[in-house]
Amino acid sequence: MDPAARPTRESPVRSPYRGRLAPSPTGLLHLGHARTFWTAYQRARSAQGTLILRNEDLDRDRARPEFVAAFIEDLHWFGIQWDEGPDLGGPHAPYDQSRRIPAYRDAFERLRRSGHLFPCTCSRRDIQSALAAPHAADEEPVYPGTCRSRDPATIPAGTRVSWRFRVPDGLPVSFLDQGAGPQCFTAGADFGDFILWRHDDLPSYQLACVVDDAAMGITEVVRGADLLVSTARQLLIYQALGLTPPAFHHCPLVTDAAGVRLAKRHDALSLRSLRESGRSPDELRGT
Ligand code: GLU
């Protein structure tokens, strides 16, 4: 081994593993986030890799700086450390998505030029009402295709449009999840043409996530199992952009006593409240 590369206590040699924590500052972190982030931290540590913190603050209406300060404090309290982030800087700065818009726009333009997108004038309500069956809580309904084959020239000038990714109907998208095992979702059935660029001129979560995970050299994405279907969408974006996807590890969701998935509205299970009521990180990790 090259003596210069020998690990020392001060500067351990890092493996190529790069993981990330990607909270959205739209509320306080709850126990479900903390358990997933703990897994992400443990996996990065056991691989002697690098962990980055990314502030997913694209939602201008709901993101608040005080929640960024809160997640940094709460993650530290929980015992999680990272190597790059909005508070530490690093080679892939900025780590706030609101400051990375040009990179998303560039990817959007590439996808548009390569024919993967179509403009859509449907409102959320139009999409809902065009469907017969009700859908599960958070997953967006499969897009009924209203604007898919419409000639863009028929859209009146000045109309605000969203841009959707045209999914190859019937294509199985499979991947081996490191946590949840083999997965397969069918484009056009399990998910439909999805929004890639929003009518308020912002990227969707799906696009921003892929662009950042690729640009930041992430080798494994650790996140909650509610994002399994989004992973299938994101794999199509990776392919369309000619990028190599990372590995994925989806963690089981934490539910409340009634079996309902935790959300930011479960204030009593926010890390803040649990900490204030005297619970320790050790007992909350639940491992
Ligand atoms: N900001 C997203 C969330 O909090 C992250 C999703 C992901 O890890 O890809 O749900």
Side-chain angles (χ1 to χ4, degrees):
M1 182 192 253
D2 168 4
R6 193 160 287 148
T8 65
R9 192 185 286 265
E10 289 75 34
S11 59
V13 170
R14 296 200 189 274
S15 78
Y17 182 103
R18 287 179 61 84
R20 51 45 156 209
L21 313 168
S24 300
T26 54
L28 291 170
L29 294 186
H30 59 60
L31 191 55
H33 296 116
R35 293 239 176 104
T36 297
F37 292 155
W38 182 251
T39 302
Y41 173 58
Q42 292 300 316
R43 290 182 69 80
R45 252 175 45 144
S46 63
Q48 293 179 298
T50 301
L51 187 62
I52 69 158
L53 175 66
R54 186 166 73 225
N55 171 25
E56 300 218 322
D57 60 347
L58 282 177
D59 187 340
R60 284 191 284 230
D61 296 334
R62 293 170 58 227
R64 303 226 304 264
E66 55 269 35
F67 289 130
V68 178
F71 69 56
I72 289 178
E73 184 184 323
D74 291 349
L75 288 169
H76 280 146
W77 174 75
F78 206 69
I80 294 174
Q81 288 148 31
W82 50 94
D83 308 290
E84 301 169 23
D87 53 335
L88 299 176
H92 298 283
Y95 293 89
D96 306 288
Q97 288 195 319
S98 58
R99 298 173 59 209
R100 301 177 61 82
I101 305 285
Y104 311 138
R105 194 178 295 281
D106 182 61
F108 160 59
E109 294 297 351
R110 283 172 55 202
L111 291 170
R112 185 159 68 157
R113 277 198 304 272
S114 56
H116 286 93
L117 311 181
F118 64 88
C120 177
T121 57
C122 300
S123 70
R124 190 174 274 253
R125 182 174 307 153
D126 290 335
I127 295 164
Q128 297 277 4
S129 61
L131 290 156
H135 288 264
D138 283 350
E139 253 305 316
E140 66 177 17
V142 172
Y143 179 65
T146 322
C147 292
R148 190 185 237 223
S149 47
R150 175 176 177 180
D151 176 359
T154 63
I155 300 175
T159 308
R160 296 204 321 167
V161 298
S162 305
W163 288 84
R164 283 182 187 272
F165 188 98
R166 188 192 310 271
V167 306
D169 281 338
L171 183 81
V173 181
S174 342
F175 56 98
L176 178 61
D177 192 81
Q178 307 296 307
Q183 304 293 319
C184 185
F185 298 96
T186 303
D190 294 317
F191 62 96
D193 299 335
F194 56 89
I195 304 271
L196 196 107
W197 197 264
R198 297 165 19 151
H199 63 67
D200 56 359
D201 204 29
L202 282 175
S204 68
Y205 154 70
Q206 309 292 353
L207 178 66
C209 185
V210 168
V211 169
D212 284 347
D213 285 337
M216 295 177 177
I218 300 304
T219 60
E220 183 180 74
V221 167
V222 176
R223 59 186 173 199
D226 52 342
L227 289 167
L228 277 164
V229 186
S230 282
T231 295
R233 295 183 179 97
Q234 291 176 16
L235 286 170
L236 293 178
I237 303 178
Y238 278 101
Q239 193 177 33
L241 288 170
L243 296 169
T244 307
F248 293 92
H249 178 111
H250 290 81
C251 302
L253 298 179
V254 177
T255 53
D256 67 10
V260 176
R261 177 172 75 88
L262 294 194
K264 287 183 178 141
R265 56 190 170 273
H266 281 75
D267 283 344
L269 290 172
S270 72
L271 281 196
R272 238 358 115 84
S273 323
L274 292 164
R275 170 182 170 183
E276 279 158 15
S277 66
R279 308 288 293 275
S280 74
D282 235 7
E283 72 184 288
L284 296 176
R285 280 175 203 141
T287 44

